[in-house]
Amino acid sequence: MGKAGRHYVLAAGGTGGHLLPAFALATELERRGHHVALITDERGAKIPGKPDFLPAHVLPAGRFGKNPLRWFGGLKAVWQGRDMAKRLFETFQPSAVVGFGGYPALPTMLAATSDDIPTVVHEQNAVLGRVNRFLAGRVNAVATAYPEIERLKDKHRDKVHLVGNPVRSGVLGLREEPFPAFSDDGILKVLVTGGSQGANVLSEIVPDGLAMLPPALRQRLQVTQQCRPEDLDKVRERYRNHDIPAELGTYFEDMAARLADTHLFIGRAGASTIAELTAVGRPAILVPLPIATDDHQAANTREIVKAGGARMIRQEKFQPKELAKQIQALSQRPDTLATAAHAAWNCGRPKAVEDLADLVESFGGADMMDVIKVGASAPRAASQTVASAPGAAREPSE
């Protein structure tokens, strides 16, 4: 099979964090003329955003909790899923199979490695997830989103290709837009989100933290905050009592437009969140989810914090006084925010989906054009350089 019109299988499921990068890669591979199929679980099949052209095959996925008594059922489901994936491969004949982590991807990746089909796993977080950790020795390549990856064995580091996390096109389109104007007497627009489900701690702390800012700054605030449904009335009352204008909602469909107007973001440190903040270039105060597996959200903040684009506050220290202190540090002068915005922007990897597609295309082809393709694109696919500003001299407008 030539490079054009190859078949690829993507394995992802469980959460949007795994599926959204898979949807982005599927769209890019389809744009390049390939045929793509998705294997997921029942929960993953319900995640919104799946491209219309992408057929989804639902396979059983084993769950492995802390109770060993349930492991037998999990292993049985994995084996069933593996056999079903093998039957799909017989008809679809993929050139490569790409996994995005999570237990729903495991049966498909085991089927691919068993059949000697080229395999790639993509890790969205700065800590290699359990399934990708298990597969690292079996797959051909490990695509990462961060230059430093924890829980990856040294013997597997020669498989690593830094590509980044794919970002929605609506957000990526904001990358070349300037940082919104902010002056000593201008409105400070703050965006607060806690992931797809909201976060109770943000509802508890953020309104009171903003109220502790000096009056000259507090009177210039304009807040947009995502809340859990049960928190809406309580948070609305707090902002009203503090005389701070705030728009509240449980979900904002036009998140890209809201991010475009934002001067400061406050929220969790999920992989997709940080990918969008760095793609657009927005300063942030990040509060990692304390129960995240292997504390991966804290690890996700390492690069942007080190660059100066964000501050990280552990949840146990996330109190109104500390939040007010960090907001003042970031917004004490207009140029302070703009500098932090540019630092965040420099951490972005806007070509993540193209680089991931290049990497995937480099496996499973044996004709002469593919050999040339691999040689030509390998440096890009494995590029480990941080994005630099266009013309190497871009500064966000103040």
Side-chain angles (χ1 to χ4, degrees), residues 5-275:
R6 287 193 202 151
H7 292 182
Y8 292 103
V9 168
L10 312 185
T15 67
H18 295 306
L19 276 160
L20 294 180
F23 294 161
L25 177 61
T27 300
E28 177 64 17
L29 290 173
E30 198 267 348
R31 187 188 68 79
R32 297 184 184 195
H34 302 302
H35 304 283
V36 190
L38 172 71
I39 294 180
T40 186
D41 63 345
E42 290 184 1
R43 188 163 61 131
K46 298 173 184 175
I47 299 290
K50 185 180 77 67
D52 292 338
F53 66 82
L54 183 64
H57 302 267
V58 176
L59 301 188
R63 301 284 172 190
F64 299 88
K66 295 181 179 179
N67 184 355
L69 296 177
R70 297 183 178 179
W71 290 358
F72 177 76
L75 287 170
K76 183 179 179 182
V78 167
W79 220 247
Q80 287 177 334
R82 175 181 174 272
D83 290 343
M84 293 170 71
K86 277 174 165 282
R87 290 197 292 273
L88 176 65
F89 294 164
E90 289 175 5
T91 55
F92 197 68
Q93 295 188 327
S95 293
V97 178
V98 188
F100 289 85
Y103 287 115
L106 182 57
T108 303
M109 300 308 293
L110 289 176
T113 55
S114 172
D115 286 354
D116 292 325
I117 299 170
T119 48
V120 177
V121 291
H122 180 267
E123 178 56 60
Q124 298 89 51
N125 294 297
V127 180
L128 201 63
R130 291 173 182 171
V131 168
N132 283 347
R133 207 179 304 162
F134 175 75
L135 293 168
R138 296 168 166 82
V139 298
N140 297 90
V142 178
T144 64
Y146 297 92
E148 292 182 47
I149 298 295
E150 298 176 18
R151 306 299 293 269
L152 176 69
K153 293 181 179 178
D154 288 340
K155 63 182 179 181
H156 300 324
R157 292 191 182 275
D158 60 345
K159 297 181 179 183
V160 169
H161 300 261
L162 176 62
V163 300
N165 267 324
V167 173
R168 292 174 293 172
S169 58
V171 172
L172 197 57
L174 301 171
R175 183 164 175 81
E176 301 309 320
E177 298 296 322
F179 184 64
F182 178 63
S183 61
D184 286 322
D185 57 356
I187 298 295
L188 176 63
K189 296 183 179 180
V190 180
L191 176 64
V192 186
T193 74
S196 59
Q197 302 300 315
N200 181 262
V201 68
L202 297 174
S203 296
E204 290 286 338
I205 302 299
V206 174
D208 294 347
L210 293 174
M212 294 181 73
L213 291 170
L217 183 57
R218 188 177 71 237
Q219 293 166 7
R220 295 156 49 207
L221 290 172
Q222 184 174 312
V223 181
T224 299
Q225 182 162 349
Q226 175 212 18
C227 306
R228 292 176 175 176
E230 62 269 26
D231 292 338
L232 273 175
D233 291 340
K234 176 179 63 177
V235 177
R236 186 172 287 117
E237 184 66 20
R238 284 192 176 186
Y239 278 119
R240 187 181 297 120
N241 291 339
H242 294 320
D243 198 25
I244 296 173
E247 179 186 359
L248 309 179
T250 57
Y251 178 75
F252 297 113
E253 289 190 5
D254 56 342
M255 191 58 77
R258 294 174 186 276
L259 197 57
D261 291 337
T262 295
H263 295 112
L264 179 63
F265 173 88
I266 302 173
R268 291 299 195 196
S272 297
T273 295
I274 292 185

Side-chain angles (χ1 to χ4, degrees), residues 329-354:
L330 275 169
S331 58
Q332 54 187 326
R333 297 190 311 272
D335 62 332
T336 310
L337 269 179
T339 299
H342 191 56
W345 189 92
N346 269 332
C347 294
R349 294 182 175 86
K351 293 190 179 297
V353 71
E354 292 97 326

Side-chain angles (χ1 to χ4, degrees), residues 16-17 124-126 145-146 165 193-196 265 267-278 285-289 292 295-301 304:
Q124 298 89 51
N125 294 297
Y146 297 92
N165 267 324
T193 74
S196 59
F265 173 88
R268 291 299 195 196
S272 297
T273 295
I274 292 185
E276 295 193 349
L277 290 172
T278 56
I285 294 173
L286 300 168
V287 187
L289 179 68
D295 200 23
H296 68 252
Q297 285 205 1
N300 290 349
T301 70
I304 188 173

